[in-house]
Amino acid sequence: MSKISKILIANRGEIALRIMRSAKEMGIKTVAVFSEADRNALHVRYADEAVCIGPPPSNQSYLLGEKIIDAAKKTGAEAIHPGYGFLSENAGFAKLVADSGLILIGPSPQAMEIMGNKLSAKAAALKYNIPMVPGTEEAIQDVNEAKQRAIEVGFPILIKAAAGGGGKGMRIVEKADDFEEQMQLAVSEATSAFGDGAVFIERYVTSPRHIEIQILGDNHGNIVHLFERECSVQRRHQKVIEEAPSSVLTEEIRAKMGACAVDVARSVNYSGAGTVEFILDENLDFFFLEMNTRLQVEHPVTELITGIDLVKEQIKVAAGETLSFTQEDLKISGHAIELRVYAEDPNNNFLPDIGTLHTYKTPKGNGVRVDDGFEQGMEIPIYYDPMIAKLITFGKDREEAIERMVRAIEEYEITGIETTLGFGKFVMQHEAFKTGRFDTHFVGKYFNSESLKNEDETEALIAAIIAAKLFQKGGSTEIVKQVTETSSDWRKNRLKF
């Protein structure tokens, strides 16, 4: 086993703090890295040591693997925890860490590389006969060939980018006449966002639910699943509310999905924490989507229903320890719900907001957990994703967890910026959510659907708003240019959770 006495956290905000707290309980020292924009951030103050790694834009700081490795070596850290976003699923960075003689608290570079591409991930999963959405198993470049395959699969179909996620390079096509134009748009989007224009085709599931299974593996061949999370309440293909367990899975379906998730992980000899994502149709048939080779934003709901600290388990696995529990030891206890508290305006298509937290008071009480990285008086940086906190509630059952979430939202005081708290309360009190009869179209169906713009328009608006607010604050033309140019990086590297 490898001794880990000091860990560098290659991230910022609430996830950096969350990792540091578990490390502290284990008697492990922590090192923070920070950009100039985060000099006074809470994670910098909480860590035992902190190293500045560059200017505010992430491509000049948090995305510079060599600077992060250099900081780890200078401070004597034996291991690096990448959190989520930024470099957490970057196989090149994982290899760089290994080549530097350091430990990455995460899976192997090989597992990251295979699961980082949807097509190679599908190929790996097919070895274990994992259910797949009908479609192509390889990238298609020829438009005529692709159109013929789409006709065979049957419309409506979904054109998807092989690389990346977050809705980029994804197009729904209702009929054959629209196929050529939509494929060209999907290829163009994928190339722009990920530098890879490869796309494939799947049958479009009209009423999908997004269900993911948490897995955990060690370096000795042991892999378990820690049940499911329901992640169907989304905006712009990005999760806003998650819960565990799902309100619709039977014990039989749960066991089958869990076994499939373990097999997907086994297909790449997976170690550490990971998540296997599935789509569930209206008949409760499930199909493999992809695997996220890192800790998820919504991991707290799994921790609450299982009693397992996933970060501690990640660290133990990275140190070479064997899992201390088996599948039979794991049980679901109670119900947990998470609301991502974003600095966004739900009434304006969830556009990001920036400003100062004039008031910031978190809710307290039984069954309430807040993972955050801000305090009153701090500014929301314009350079990174707009998540302020994760509000999680736990109850003996789903009804109690919902009641506690409503109470916690009402207690949460934030002024100075718009947030998703009001949206969260709307969801909790909506009949479709309370009865469990909802899918990934919840926002479009029930919440201000007329204001929803297409993603290209939203991206342009985000960049324009950031630039305008920078000018108001007296920012230089060069800084505005940097931020505007990296706005797509902001989405690509920090919102694909």
Side-chain angles (χ1 to χ4, degrees), residues 78-106:
E78 301 97 348
I80 295 174
H81 196 309
Y84 41 65
F86 291 142
L87 295 169
S88 62
E89 293 181 284
N90 187 308
F93 175 66
K95 188 174 186 306
L96 205 59
V97 172
D99 291 345
S100 300
L102 300 171
I103 299 168
L104 181 76
I105 300 176

Side-chain angles (χ1 to χ4, degrees), residues 257-366:
M257 289 183 82
C260 284
V262 168
D263 282 342
V264 170
R266 204 174 299 284
S267 74
V268 288
N269 298 316
Y270 198 87
S271 66
T275 299
V276 181
E277 302 199 355
F278 296 93
I279 192 167
L280 189 76
D281 70 12
E282 58 272 18
N283 300 315
L284 299 185
D285 292 323
F286 64 88
F287 308 96
F288 172 71
L289 277 181
E290 63 180 337
M291 183 177 189
N292 292 303
T293 54
R294 51 166 166 78
L295 197 65
Q296 294 277 93
V297 173
E298 57 273 21
H299 75 272
V301 294
T302 297
E303 294 184 324
L304 289 172
I305 67 163
T306 61
I308 302 291
D309 185 319
L310 288 170
V311 170
K312 287 184 180 178
E313 296 304 319
Q314 283 186 297
I315 294 169
K316 290 175 184 176
V317 166
E321 293 186 29
T322 302
L323 291 182
S324 60
F325 47 84
T326 65
Q327 191 66 60
E328 290 69 33
D329 296 326
L330 295 166
K331 301 288 184 292
I332 295 175
S333 176
H335 198 97
I337 301 174
E338 175 180 293
L339 167 66
R340 301 188 188 192
V341 184
Y342 284 112
E344 293 180 345
D345 185 357
N347 293 314
N348 191 17
N349 198 23
F350 293 90
L351 287 174
D353 196 18
I354 56 174
T356 302
L357 296 170
H358 296 306
T359 307
Y360 186 75
K361 295 179 181 177
T362 58
K364 305 288 191 296
N366 196 24

Side-chain angles (χ1 to χ4, degrees), residues 219-461:
N219 294 306
H220 308 281
N222 302 300
I223 304 174
V224 299
H225 72 83
L226 291 87
F227 314 110
E228 82 278 1
R229 294 185 289 257
E230 168 87 54
C231 307
S232 297
V233 180
Q234 307 176 356
R235 49 81 175 111
R236 296 196 299 273
H237 305 289
Q238 301 291 343
K239 305 164 192 171
V240 190
I241 293 170
E242 304 97 351
E243 61 180 312
S246 168
S247 62
V248 296
L249 292 197
T250 64
E251 286 297 330
E252 181 183 7
I253 297 172
R254 177 174 292 119
K256 286 181 179 178
M257 289 183 82
C260 284
V262 168
D263 282 342
V264 170
R266 204 174 299 284
S267 74
V268 288
N269 298 316
Y270 198 87
S271 66
T275 299
V276 181
E277 302 199 355
F278 296 93
I279 192 167
L280 189 76
D281 70 12
E282 58 272 18
N283 300 315
L284 299 185
D285 292 323
F286 64 88
F287 308 96
F288 172 71
L289 277 181
E290 63 180 337
M291 183 177 189
N292 292 303
T293 54
R294 51 166 166 78
L295 197 65
Q296 294 277 93
V297 173
E298 57 273 21
H299 75 272
V301 294
T302 297
E303 294 184 324
L304 289 172
I305 67 163
T306 61
I308 302 291
D309 185 319
L310 288 170
V311 170
K312 287 184 180 178
E313 296 304 319
Q314 283 186 297
I315 294 169
K316 290 175 184 176
V317 166
E321 293 186 29
T322 302
L323 291 182
S324 60
F325 47 84
T326 65
Q327 191 66 60
E328 290 69 33
D329 296 326
L330 295 166
K331 301 288 184 292
I332 295 175
S333 176
H335 198 97
I337 301 174
E338 175 180 293
L339 167 66
R340 301 188 188 192
V341 184
Y342 284 112
E344 293 180 345
D345 185 357
N347 293 314
N348 191 17
N349 198 23
F350 293 90
L351 287 174
D353 196 18
I354 56 174
T356 302
L357 296 170
H358 296 306
T359 307
Y360 186 75
K361 295 179 181 177
T362 58
K364 305 288 191 296
N366 196 24
V368 176
R369 168 176 166 177
V370 179
D371 286 13
D372 62 7
F374 291 93
E375 61 186 4
Q376 192 163 293
M378 291 180 69
E379 286 200 7
I380 304 298
I382 57 177
Y383 302 93
Y384 315 114
D385 83 277
M387 190 165 71
I388 302 168
K390 300 181 311 199
L391 173 59
I392 311 106
T393 57
F394 177 77
K396 65 180 182 295
D397 53 29
R398 190 170 188 261
E399 184 179 3
E400 185 172 67
I402 290 173
E403 290 169 351
R404 282 186 171 154
M405 179 60 77
V406 172
R407 188 262 295 172
I409 289 170
E410 290 173 346
E411 286 184 13
Y412 215 138
E413 293 184 50
I414 301 178
T415 63
I417 54 167
E418 297 294 331
T419 75
T420 50
L421 284 171
F423 170 75
K425 185 176 178 180
F426 170 86
V427 175
M428 293 301 120
Q429 296 179 327
H430 197 282
E431 192 64 17
F433 184 81
K434 289 195 291 184
T435 58
R437 295 195 295 268
F438 62 94
D439 55 34
T440 57
H441 303 306
F442 181 95
V443 170
K445 284 180 179 177
Y446 305 117
F447 187 81
N448 203 21
S449 60
E450 290 183 1
S451 73
L452 297 180
K453 303 176 177 65
N454 72 48
E455 193 145 335
D456 291 337
E457 290 174 348
T458 301
E459 285 268 320
L461 273 170

Side-chain angles (χ1 to χ4, degrees), residues 110-124:
Q110 293 77 17
M112 276 191 196
E113 191 165 13
I114 292 170
M115 289 299 165
N117 181 285
K118 290 182 176 65
L119 288 173
S120 59
K122 287 175 76 169

